[in-house]
Amino acid sequence: MNEKERLLISKTGVAQIEYFKLNGTLKEDDDLQFSVEVYEKGKFKEELLKTWGAIETKYKDSLISFGISDISGEDHSLKLLNGIPSGLASKFYSYNMTSHSFGKLIGEKVTLEKDKPIYIAAWLGTTKNSLRTVGGENGDLPPGIEEYELAFLYKVLWTDKKEK
């Protein structure tokens, strides 16, 4: 991002955000799903902000994003932000973590494979005194996820369209 874009983002209240470009063409019976998976102590808990039913079939540098806004107050809430090509989904989530790490889980370009989830960004939290930073290159689950008490992983999944 250039300096003006960084300044604009800083005025939105988003504490941390990662952006990604999406390129490709979906067939008529294909779909893209975007969601945030929640893990507690390395175990899958739930899937939030799940969107499916692609509106577009052609993506040319379409932006997607995963962001976090830390909401101060007694309830210690985070606002999870899931930016998809057709809009923005958000959800509040209460937590009691004292430190966290946030970052990308992919390096350069990653090619989606049908029915294989790609994790592209993560927020990882703990109540302990130390926390390893998160990182990755190929979109797999972050190594050592069981070390984190709470984790939010932004996932993209290419699947067949589901009948409604």
Side-chain angles (χ1 to χ4, degrees):
M1 288 188 291
N2 65 36
E3 195 57 38
K4 185 174 181 178
E5 291 167 331
R6 281 190 186 98
L7 181 61
L8 286 171
I9 295 298
S10 75
K11 305 298 181 201
T12 64
V14 176
Q16 297 164 313
I17 193 162
E18 292 287 353
Y19 294 95
F20 307 89
K21 287 184 182 176
L22 184 61
N23 288 293
T25 302
L26 294 174
K27 295 179 184 171
E28 188 176 316
D29 58 345
D30 286 342
D31 195 12
L32 278 180
Q33 297 178 8
F34 303 91
S35 65
V36 177
E37 288 188 349
V38 181
Y39 288 79
E40 289 184 355
K41 297 179 183 168
K43 305 269 189 244
F44 175 80
K45 181 182 176 191
E46 62 185 315
E47 192 170 27
L48 304 173
L49 301 171
K50 185 172 182 178
T51 62
W52 65 92
I55 295 172
E56 302 172 33
T57 58
K58 293 183 183 199
Y59 300 93
K60 175 74 173 137
D61 292 336
S62 298
L63 281 180
I64 59 175
S65 63
F66 175 56
I68 300 284
S69 290
D70 192 9
I71 309 300
S72 300
E74 293 177 19
D75 65 347
H76 298 285
S77 298
L78 289 173
K79 184 177 183 183
L80 305 171
L81 303 165
N82 180 0
I84 58 175
S86 60
L88 177 70
S90 65
K91 178 164 182 66
F92 289 96
Y93 196 96
S94 295
Y95 74 103
N96 63 348
M97 303 298 109
T98 54
S99 58
H100 70 273
S101 177
F102 181 82
K104 291 182 180 183
L105 297 176
I106 58 173
E108 295 296 314
K109 185 177 178 178
V110 174
T111 302
L112 294 174
E113 296 176 33
K114 202 163 204 176
D115 298 318
K116 180 184 183 251
I118 296 291
Y119 300 96
I120 61 176
W123 181 98
L124 306 158
T126 187
T127 58
K128 298 178 179 140
N129 291 333
S130 64
L131 180 69
R132 186 165 48 107
T133 59
V134 64
E137 291 295 317
N138 58 8
D140 292 333
L141 281 173
I145 192 164
E146 63 281 348
E147 296 173 20
Y148 305 100
E149 294 169 65
L150 180 62
F152 300 110
L153 302 176
Y154 183 44
K155 179 179 86 173
V156 179
L157 180 63
W158 171 28
T159 64
D160 291 325
K161 270 190 182 167
K162 307 257 188 282
E163 294 298 319
K164 294 181 181 178

